[in-house]
Each structure stands twice: as C-alpha cells, then as structure tokens.
Amino acid sequence: MASLLSARCAVSLRKSASLIHFRSGALLFSRCYGSKTASSPEFLHESIVPSMHYQKSLPRLPVPKLEDTIRRYLAAQKPLLDDDQFRTTEKIAQDFQNGAGKQLHEELVAQDKNNKHTSYISGPWFDMYLSARDSVVLNFNPFMSFNLDSRNEYNDQLVRSTNMVCSAVRFMKTLRARLLEPEVFHLNPAKSDTQRFKNFIRWVPSSLSWYGAYMVNAYPLDMSQYFRLFNSTRIPKPGRDELVTDEKGRHLLVMRKGNMYAFDVVDRDGNLVKPAEIQSHLKYILSDSTPAPAFPLGVLTSENRDIWAGLRDKLVAAGNAEVLQMVDSALFCLCLDDESMRDHIHISHNMLHGDGCNRWFDKSFSVIVTKDGQAAINFEHSWGDGVAVLRFQNEVFKDTTEKPLVHPGSPPAAVDSASAVRRLSFNLDRELESGIEKAKKNFDSAVSKLTIDAMEFKKGGKEQLKKSKLSPDAVAQLSFQMGFLRLYDQTVATYESCSTAVFRHGRTETIRPASTHTKLCSHAFVHEPNKHSVEELRAMISECSKYHGQLTKEAAMGQGFDRHLFAMRYLSNSKGQALHSLYTDPAYAAINHNILSTSTLTSPAVSLGGFAPVVPDGFGVGYGVHDDWIGCNVSSYPARNVHEFLQCVHKSLEDIFNVLEGKPLS
C-alpha cells in the first residue's frame, strides 16, 4: 500500500499541499473544515462519513531500507563535517550497515510485522517524550495564537471565552458522536470533497475505505491521537510519566490569578450547558476578588518531572487526591489572564510561558484568553503532534467567528454561579510550600533567559516564488541557512518536522534542510556575491528548491533517516546491548544537536506560533510564507543573538528576491 502512496501521492504532496508543520510536532495539510449539512446546536456539524471511517484501512508506516537510511544519513552529514570527519563517519556508518545495523534492522522489521495494529515509531516516540525529565515548559510545549475576531466587540474577554468554551464542547461532542468530518487531504477536492463522493464512501466497509478515497486522489489522515484532546493530562511519575484520560469528566478547569476553579459545561444528559449559564459562571470568576495565592500550585507543572512527581505524591498524601482528580479529569483548561498584550512579542512570551502561575502545563491543551481578548492554545506534546490541535483550533475559530452562541450585550443567565462554580483549594504543608517557591524560582530563571523577536519581509512571498517555479518552503529554509552563515560563518544541524499522518499511527519524520546544495548556494551569496552571474545564482536556488522538495516528499512518505536510526537505537537499548559506534560518533551527536529548529504555520485561524530553542545555543524558528510576505517569530537564549539573526535572514531574503527579479547582488 505504501508503494501506491509513493507512486502518486508523494509528488503531489509537495506540489499541491498547503504545508503546515509545528515544532517537533506536525506537518499538517490546510483545508476548509466543516460539513455543509445542517447540524443541531449540540454539534459543529454532522458528517455522514463517520469520523474514524478510514482508520482501519490506513496504510502502514514503512520501515525504510537500511541502505537508503545510511545513504540519506551521510548526505545530511556531508555539509556539517570537514573531509576527515566525513571519512570517519562514512566508515562507521558502513560498518553499522554491514554488521550491527543489519541485525537491528531485521529485528525491527520482524517486530513491526508482529504489530500490524500500529507503527514501528509509535511506542518508542511515546516513550521518548514521557521519559524526558526536563520541564515541559520551553522544552516541549508550543503555542499557537488565534487571529482576532474581525468584529472587535466579539474580542471582549468574557464574550470570547464563553464562545470558545461552547465551541470546544461542541467539537468534543461532535468528535465523540463520530460526526466530525474525517481528516482528509484532498488533492482533487472537486472530485473527493463532494456530497456525491461522501454518499458513496460511507457505504464502503471501513476495511476498504482508504482505497476508495485513494481512487479519487484523496488521502485520509490518522486520527488516533484525537481522543487525547479532552479530559486528558500528563501525570508526573518517577522515571516516566503517564497519560491519563477520563471521559467521565463533565467540568471545565478555569485558572485566574493562579486560583483554580471548576464548573460543569456538560449536563447529566450529556448536553452543552446553556451558553448564558457558562457566561454567568465565567463572569463570576472574572469578578472574583480572591487575591492571588501565595503558593500557586500551577507552577509545579513547570518543574523537572521527577521533582514534580515527588511533590505530587506529597500532595496526595496531604489529602489532595480528590481535587487533583478534578484537575486531571477536566475537559481542558481555560486560563483567563488579567493582562492586556502590548504587541506580538508580548503575546509570544505570554502564550508560551506566561508567569507560570496561571497555567496547568500538564493538561493536553489550555486555551488562554487575555484581558484584551487575545487567545491562544498552549499544548502538552507527548500525546500528539499537533494534527488534532490545529484541527481543533481551526474548527473553534470558524465556529466562534461564524456562529457565536453569545454576543456583546447578551445577558448572562440569572443563575447561582457562586454555588455552581467551585474554587479548588489545596492542603499545603511547609515542604509543599517550599517546593512551590523553588519551582517558581526555577521557572523565573529559565524564562528570563529567553528572547523572542519577529520579522516581516514584505517584498515578496508565495505567489512570486511559485511563478519562479520554486518551493516557498525551500526558499524560507535557504534564507535561514544563508542568514546563519552570514552571522556565524557556519552550517549547522537543522530540523524541520514533517508529519507521517498519512500512515496508521504515523508520528513525524525529520526534513534536514541543511544540504550540500544550500551550503554551496549560501556561500556564493554571502562570501562571493560578485563572483557569480544572476543566472548562476538562480540555478543554485533552483537546485536547493528541487532537493528540498525531494527531502519533503521522502519524509512525508516515511522515507527519512532520523526515525529509523532512532528506532534501532531504542531497540538496542531495550535489549541492553552496547550501542554501536554510529550512535557514539560525535557527528551523530552533532546532527541531533539541532541549532536551527524550524516549523512553519499558515492557517486562517492562526496568527502566529512559537516555541523555544531545543538546545541552549540554538534558535526556535517559527515562520510562515504568505502570498506576498514572509514572517518569522524566533526565540533564542543568551548564546545567540536573535535580533542580528533576523536581520541576516531579512538580508538573505532581499538578496534571493533581487536575484529572482534579475538584479545582481550589491
């Protein structure tokens, strides 16, 4: 089945998809969501094709051939190493391919054949996330901010919060009733995204439905992560955390000023509580005069996972088990911030980390709404790669802006919110108070080192690049390589995430944008601007674009090298074997020390996305290539200068677009 995919879908993925990738998370396919059918007030829409209709027949993620993995690995290492280093790494890799690697690969393939219900990467990837002991803040949780409602009066904090909660519950109910439209990537929507096709495919057995979609050039995506969206929390445990989902929870967790509240948003019959009642409860919380707690519990979720696990055990022992269960089983977390946002940089800092007190970073996701109605989602990354989160964000934005359930001037219901809303209180002893103080100190120290800056390049974008027959993503990535070379005179390990959601339980694969092509092109632009003709420079850009397109296509088809090497290392460790020298080679450590960690995001719902660098001397590069402009939202720690890097990226984009317009480099 994978060969069917690669024969037709792979090339088209690059050419026809609107590509969105997020952090170490996801490459998604932008599309218009929502059914054209009428729906009841309880649901966003009522799809005639069941949500999980395609899940059983999704193709399996292929284990790449070992020789292909080694070839791709060495190609990615080439621009990062000098000749002597490369010869050493090449010899080690060939030894691995002919010896230990061959054995590990065969065992991995055999293991995969015995586990046809899943993918070879799913288990190891969950384990990698859940075993990480670093704080989830900055290291893992990203954010995606919502665009404002075009009608400013709907951005009132109370109105927007109420509508977002109502739309979120409607999404949850639509999903659980299996009425949410399946996630499908349409290469020819005129044929496949039609009522006629849906009327046909609904009757095709789910064991064969993927093939039916394939026949009209449509590619269903894995939706196995969606159930973790609601009522889910990451629970800290010594050594390895646990993901817990309790679908019985009917309440919402709300945080304001570090205080925690809960109230039901679903009634006993499973229906959405009246929007005017939800509005009343949120108004009650927003007007609550209770001061901020001296020891805000939420900051513990920003702590080292083993330390947090120990403190959570102490919380339970101190009699807080029932209230923690309320937190863990809540549908999701709504964070109401009392601050107004000054600008995009302020939004990025607030939505990525805030002050640490008004967040519960372990919830599968939190919706954050500021005093001036700016909104974002901050999500915990172990349970999923952002596919489900972005779908949720798109649907909630569409629903709240097109069909809001409360309006400016809508009166809240005359209900007793004081008895419906429970303010959660915790028994804390001196040891727990001290743990909270230390967590806050550690949090403040970590976030104080983070700098975020943004850049907008207004002289061209996607339209002009496509006219030049260039991949917009490839050109953006080339500008990062060029910018880094201009500032630091180096080519370094670069990470771009790509979803493998076209496969059952697919997670992600890595695109390696730093190549011999980008190195050569960057060197020509930065160090030899007068040595090459405009035609030669254009030819170099074109080569970079073609090669990046090939890497993207391979990654989307599960044909990268990173996950395969990772799975074999995981297998070797699980057997207690000594690691082969490929994994102890300094070059392997260096290519996995991703100084440039990049992610692209363009969606009608999303204003900007952001994340911290993944290494102390790195950049976290969020970017979007729009029709006529290119934007970057970049973070760094003190080891790097984010302001100068963005200036160099801007200069690189100017040079690239000048060359495309036939102008020589100045």
Side-chain angles (χ1 to χ4, degrees), residues 347-368:
I347 290 169
S348 292
H349 279 290
N350 191 65
M351 305 312 189
L352 184 61
H353 56 76
D355 68 359
C357 301
N358 205 45
R359 304 284 182 270
W360 195 267
F361 292 107
D362 289 353
K363 285 302 284 180
S364 54
F365 73 90
S366 297
V367 174
I368 303 161

Side-chain angles (χ1 to χ4, degrees), residues 66 95-105 568 577-578 580:
L66 181 60
D95 180 72
F96 179 77
Q97 182 180 330
N98 298 324
K102 191 177 180 199
Q103 178 70 31
L104 286 168
H105 173 76
M568 287 189 286
Q577 295 176 345
H580 185 271

